Amino acid sequence: MNKQKLVFATSNSNKVKEVQAILGDNFEIVSLKDLGCFEEIPETQDTVKGNALQKAWYVVEKYNISCFAEDTGFEVDALGGEPGIYAARYAGEEKNAEANMALVLKKMKGVEERTAKFRTVIALVLDKEEYTFEGILKGTISTQKMGTNGFGYDPLFIPDGYSQSFGQIDVNVKNAISHRAKAVNQLKKFLTN
Ligand code: ITT
């Protein structure tokens, strides 16, 4: 079977790696770099779904191709759902994961209710029609960073049913259970049928 090529409108190389691993060998991701696009794609909507759609349509209209994008929010219940859609820039425009984690830990100091969730929405625009797929993963926030696997908030996030953080859990396990895996598997099913 020929590989199905898919353009993934993201500037985050960690997302590309995870999504390629989840999609498997029958699909080949083409990145924005491969298209010669190095610009920051606008993300100005107030929901994860809105931002995913905005990123996908921006690339569709600019390059006249079909593509998919994803947006991921990180929602901490005791912080009223923060950082939410501002996950990448929680501690500032430089999108620094260490600073973002430090800010969450500071705000969560002494807080007992530590539940949180990741929410990923994939927006696919295929032949000018849009489709969305959502994956949610619940867990808790640790009281300190644990491990160095993954990216973003992974060292702080303990998925429900596990005692270790995504910073400690093997990436193959993350890719089997994550918010992103749940959304990508729906995309895969859609594209395969
Ligand atoms: P694109 O918009 O170019 O896709 P981005 O990094 O700006 O890349 P988002 O706007 O979706 O992506 O920001 C989500 C942020 O949430 C991301 O930068 C990480 O800090 C964090 N994040 C996303 N997925 C994560 C995951 O699986 N584990 C831990 N943190 C994650």
Side-chain angles (χ1 to χ4, degrees), residues 18 74 101 105 118 137-175 177-179:
E18 286 190 4
F74 184 48
M101 285 192 284
L105 285 178
F118 280 110
L137 184 69
K138 293 184 177 176
T140 51
I141 305 279
S142 56
T143 52
Q144 56 182 37
K145 284 193 294 173
M146 302 194 301
T148 55
N149 291 347
F151 68 100
Y153 297 90
D154 279 341
L156 297 189
F157 185 77
I158 304 170
D160 282 353
Y162 291 76
S163 56
Q164 292 185 308
S165 78
F166 270 154
Q168 298 167 303
I169 292 171
D170 188 88
V171 70
N172 294 320
V173 175
K174 179 184 177 188
N175 285 340
I177 66 167
S178 77
H179 41 294

Side-chain angles (χ1 to χ4, degrees), residues 10-12 15 43 55 95 151 154 174 179-180:
T10 180
S11 52
N12 185 325
K15 288 185 180 179
E43 228 179 292
K55 288 187 263 190
K95 290 188 170 185
F151 68 100
D154 279 341
K174 179 184 177 188
H179 41 294
R180 185 161 294 105

Side-chain angles (χ1 to χ4, degrees), residues 7-137:
V7 176
F8 184 8
T10 180
S11 52
N12 185 325
S13 57
N14 291 298
K15 288 185 180 179
V16 175
K17 270 188 229 147
E18 286 190 4
V19 172
Q20 180 68 72
I22 299 161
L23 280 173
D25 289 341
N26 291 339
F27 295 88
E28 182 183 334
I29 288 181
V30 177
S31 70
L32 290 184
K33 277 190 208 149
D34 298 330
L35 292 180
C37 172
F38 296 95
E39 67 187 293
E40 185 91 357
I41 301 174
E43 228 179 292
T44 54
Q45 305 304 302
D46 56 9
T47 59
V48 170
K49 182 176 167 182
N51 279 329
L53 283 165
Q54 184 180 17
K55 288 187 263 190
W57 277 110
Y58 181 87
V59 170
V60 167
E61 276 160 12
K62 182 149 187 192
Y63 293 94
N64 197 23
I65 45 165
S66 293
C67 80
F68 74 95
E70 72 110 273
D71 198 62
T72 296
F74 184 48
E75 302 165 13
V76 181
D77 294 328
L79 301 180
E82 280 187 20
I85 55 164
Y86 303 106
R89 299 177 167 78
Y90 196 38
E93 278 306 310
E94 58 285 349
K95 290 188 170 185
N96 182 311
E98 290 298 323
N100 289 338
M101 285 192 284
L103 185 55
V104 168
L105 285 178
K106 188 172 147 203
K107 292 198 179 199
M108 290 297 286
K109 196 161 183 204
V111 176
E112 274 189 24
E113 186 203 354
R114 304 193 73 85
T115 51
K117 61 173 107 52
F118 280 110
R119 181 192 304 275
T120 292
V121 173
I122 288 180
L124 169 71
V125 179
L126 190 63
D127 301 329
K128 300 282 158 84
E129 292 285 336
E130 65 181 44
Y131 309 86
T132 57
F133 310 95
E134 184 178 71
I136 292 174
L137 184 69

